[in-house]
Amino acid sequence: LVGKIAAKVKTASTREIPYQKWILRHLPSQKELEKQRREKFDFQPKISIVIPLYKTPEKYLRQLVDTVKAQTYPNWELCIANGSPDDTEMTAILKEYASADRRICVRDLRENLGIAGNTNAALTMASGEFVGLLDHDDLLAPNALYEIVKKLNEDRELDAVYTDEDKVTTDLSEHFQPHLKPDFNLDLLRSNNYICHFFVVRKTIVDKVGGFRQEFDGAQDHDFIFRCVEEASGRVGHVPEIVYHWRTHKASTADNPASKMYAFDAGKRAIEAHLKRVGVEGEVSHTPDLGFSA
């Protein structure tokens, strides 16, 4: 379910609590985070987090990378494709991070290849058993990778895992619109990209489906997720924890859906392409609620 900005959560006593207060109370404590850092899983896969960068403000870039470095699960690598070759400040920041942590890999592209092209450039750097997708101005909770790997240890047959998420204001002062997702539901995915963030998938599947496709820019993640779950054949896990924070901007689909109508048209085509691949006849159309198709 997606809450409104003033989302409220009912407690057992029927008392309503604003979501901002609820999420702050339910974040893992420092004691819990330290416990997670000490835990040794039987299965400890490397997770490659891929990020396509393009004209990312320094503040957002540092906050993003710092949330990855703060992960309690240590076996990760950060694969960054920089699509802003003329931004000397961004290049210097990335060089600073890469020189300080060997797990951070940066590739400076000659030109901006678009979100699909930049993401694919980052994917070529990934050496992990699993790949996670992170937008260039969003944030991960410190226990995000821990929760993913915990789920993978509970079921070693899983090929993909996704988590719950919420939105956060640009200045990070308020969390809102929690998206508490159901377990894997293909019919729902055919109506709305409810999986979205945080999505982690086995690298062999990424290699097989071929990464992102530029013709679906705006809904490239919906198209990519479809192709991945088709290969996963239902082996998709859900972590019911809010560990991904989607930063909003007035011009972004997170805050003003109508600002990017092309993205919803691309989403419609992604659903149509999926139905054609799996041999299901159907007609896809927009609904009054942008982002949902029928």
Side-chain angles (χ1 to χ4, degrees):
L1 299 175
V2 180
K4 296 181 179 180
I5 290 182
K8 296 182 179 181
V9 180
K10 286 191 175 182
T11 66
S13 64
T14 72
R15 184 167 52 91
E16 292 185 343
I17 302 174
Y19 175 67
Q20 173 70 6
K21 290 185 178 180
W22 183 90
I23 187 63
L24 292 177
R25 292 180 183 179
H26 287 77
L27 293 175
S29 66
Q30 287 303 315
K31 182 177 180 180
E32 173 60 26
L33 293 177
E34 287 302 322
K35 181 180 177 182
Q36 291 179 8
R37 290 187 178 95
R38 293 192 300 268
E39 185 162 351
K40 301 297 182 183
F41 292 106
D42 292 334
F43 179 44
Q44 301 181 50
K46 179 192 286 187
I47 299 181
S48 301
I49 301 174
V50 299
I51 303 177
L53 293 184
Y54 179 66
K55 294 184 178 180
T56 310
E58 177 182 355
K59 184 177 181 180
Y60 298 171
L61 177 57
R62 289 190 180 277
Q63 288 173 341
L64 176 149
V65 176
D66 287 345
T67 65
V68 176
K69 293 188 66 175
Q71 292 300 302
T72 58
Y73 178 75
N75 194 13
W76 54 263
E77 67 176 357
L78 187 55
C79 304
I80 300 174
N82 177 17
S84 306
D86 298 328
D87 192 327
T88 56
E89 182 180 36
M90 183 184 297
T91 300
I93 294 169
L94 293 173
K95 185 177 180 180
E96 170 195 328
Y97 275 110
S99 62
D101 193 324
R102 291 182 298 176
R103 296 174 295 179
I104 299 176
C105 311
V106 179
R107 178 181 172 186
D108 292 314
L109 306 180
R110 294 182 179 180
E111 60 181 344
N112 176 33
L113 302 176
I115 189 167
N118 293 348
T119 303
N120 286 338
L123 283 170
T124 64
M125 303 160 61
S127 64
E129 189 170 346
F130 287 83
V131 172
L133 307 175
L134 180 57
D135 288 349
H136 76 145
D137 53 0
D138 293 340
L139 308 163
L140 288 179
N143 58 321
L145 297 185
Y146 171 89
E147 300 293 349
I148 291 287
V149 175
K150 180 181 177 182
K151 188 70 176 180
L152 291 172
N153 273 266
E154 292 170 356
D155 186 350
R156 294 286 296 274
E157 297 300 315
L158 292 176
D159 285 328
V161 181
Y162 62 94
T163 73
D164 292 350
E165 63 186 287
D166 66 10
K167 296 186 177 71
V168 65
T169 52
T170 303
D171 62 2
L172 309 185
S173 63
E174 181 184 4
H175 290 259
F176 61 98
Q177 289 191 2
H179 190 173
L180 308 177
K181 307 169 187 177
D183 287 344
F184 181 60
N185 185 324
L186 182 57
D187 286 336
L188 180 58
L189 189 62
R190 287 170 173 171
S191 173
N192 168 259
N193 182 15
Y194 81 94
I195 288 178
C196 205
H197 311 116
F198 180 42
F199 182 67
V200 174
V201 61
R202 201 176 290 273
K203 178 64 161 51
T204 53
I205 286 183
V206 176
D207 293 338
K208 189 170 184 178
V209 303
F212 283 59
R213 300 195 291 182
Q214 197 160 16
E215 62 265 34
F216 291 95
D217 270 359
Q220 68 288 331
D221 51 350
H222 200 176
D223 169 67
F224 177 75
I225 289 171
F226 266 131
R227 289 181 286 121
C228 288
V229 300
E230 288 164 19
E231 286 295 327
S233 301
R235 298 184 297 273
V236 181
H238 169 223
V239 173
E241 299 284 344
I242 296 174
V243 296
Y244 190 103
H245 309 301
W246 186 357
R247 192 194 301 261
T248 64
H249 307 277
K250 287 185 177 180
S252 77
T253 53
D255 193 51
N256 180 17
S259 68
K260 293 185 178 179
M261 191 61 206
Y262 77 92
F264 301 110
D265 290 333
K268 176 176 177 290
R269 289 188 286 106
I271 299 170
E272 291 170 338
H274 157 70
L275 294 177
K276 183 176 180 180
R277 280 192 304 272
V278 299
V280 174
E281 293 187 10
E283 182 177 336
V284 183
S285 58
H286 292 300
T287 69
D289 295 314
L290 291 176
F292 287 84
S293 299

